[in-house]
Amino acid sequence: MLNIALPKGRLGDKVASLLCDAGYDCPTLASGDRRLTVDDVEHGVRYIWVKPSDVAIYVERGAADAGVVGKDTLLEQSPDVYELCDLGIGKCRMAVAAPVGFYDDGARRLRVATKYPNIARGYYMKKGRDIDIIKLSGSIETAPVIGMSDVIVDIVETGQTLKENNLAVTDTVVEISARLVANKSSCKFARGEIMKIADAVGKKSDLR
Ligand code: PRP
């Protein structure tokens, strides 16, 4: 059995549809199925549903041979895995946003609220801007609204959350989408099986 770690939630539903379209039997958690491991015996695949930010850890440690993870998580965690292909789903962008009308005069350290401290640090380091990172786990948009931060670095998909909180994008850091990743040893020992899935769901990048 090839173990594949999949992200629970919004992205997971899209991944399950993609796999089903490619002929793989992958029931979604959204359909009411609460099993966290599901076997597709016909294709020799076991799906493991995990928290999106944990997928890369499962794959890096070999608990999963492959997995689907957002580029945001890959950039933030830099896991030691192969990134096989872009799945073209879960498209959004990592952006800097601030209260409408905010102007950074550079007079003091910029307070940046984010779930992605490494990405934010890298972005501002390139700009040579001194920042104070405020690491949060969610509801990032609240920070500038209540005055805890000046800006945020966060995922923007439709832009609705920003709009409803009177915030606006000031810069795009990087475009994001879901990627198929694989464990490095598994790519040696189960290359054929992994490539079959990569062929079915996306375009390969660094295995060829
Ligand atoms: C994400 C992100 C934004 C929102 C953006 O939050 O952190 O808050 O989605 O989506 P939009 O541009 O379509 O409004 P998520 O729903 O993952 O919840 P979180 O607050 O736990 O991060």
Side-chain angles (χ1 to χ4, degrees):
M1 276 276 176
L2 202 67
N3 287 325
I4 303 185
L6 299 179
K8 287 198 277 184
R10 260 189 296 187
L11 180 58
D13 298 339
K14 291 177 187 158
V15 175
S17 307
L18 192 70
L19 283 162
C20 288
D21 290 349
Y24 286 79
D25 183 18
C26 180
T28 66
L29 294 181
S31 66
D33 198 316
R34 283 289 170 269
R35 289 173 297 166
L36 295 177
T37 56
V38 183
D39 293 350
D40 175 353
V41 179
E42 191 194 330
H43 292 95
V45 171
R46 168 172 292 158
Y47 303 108
I48 311 166
W49 290 103
V50 303
K51 199 172 168 184
S53 54
D54 288 342
V55 168
I57 298 167
Y58 277 74
V59 176
E60 185 180 59
R61 291 189 165 261
D65 301 293
V68 173
V69 60
K71 183 69 180 177
D72 52 333
T73 305
L74 291 178
L75 291 171
E76 180 62 24
Q77 299 178 350
S78 303
D80 190 16
V81 297
Y82 286 134
E83 186 179 321
L84 302 185
C85 57
D86 187 341
L87 299 180
I89 55 172
K91 286 186 179 176
C92 54
R93 58 179 163 150
M94 180 72 60
V96 181
V100 171
F102 171 79
Y103 171 70
D104 178 15
D105 62 9
R108 60 182 175 86
R109 287 177 91 191
L110 189 71
R111 297 168 306 159
V112 182
T114 187
K115 248 197 288 199
Y116 303 92
N118 293 327
I119 294 175
R121 224 173 266 123
Y123 171 81
Y124 282 106
M125 195 179 287
K126 272 192 203 145
K127 294 192 169 299
R129 181 72 174 96
D130 193 19
I131 60 164
D132 176 15
I133 294 268
I134 301 165
K135 166 84 169 69
L136 297 175
S137 311
S139 302
I140 314 299
E141 292 83 356
T142 315
V145 171
I146 62 167
M148 181 163 71
S149 77
D150 300 305
V151 301
I152 63 172
V153 169
D154 197 19
I155 293 293
V156 178
E157 193 175 348
T158 62
Q160 197 59 27
T161 312
L162 291 182
K163 199 172 165 200
E164 291 187 16
N165 289 286
N166 206 28
L167 303 171
V169 168
T170 58
D171 197 12
T172 294
V173 178
V174 63
E175 299 292 336
I176 303 291
S177 58
R179 309 296 160 102
L180 181 68
V181 297
N183 174 269
K184 289 192 166 174
S185 303
S186 301
C187 279
K188 285 195 195 119
F189 301 113
R191 186 187 169 98
E193 292 89 331
I194 291 173
M195 292 307 290
K196 206 170 140 194
I197 294 190
D199 275 333
V201 295
K203 219 169 68 200
K204 291 147 299 297
S205 52
D206 58 356
L207 262 196
R208 287 191 178 157

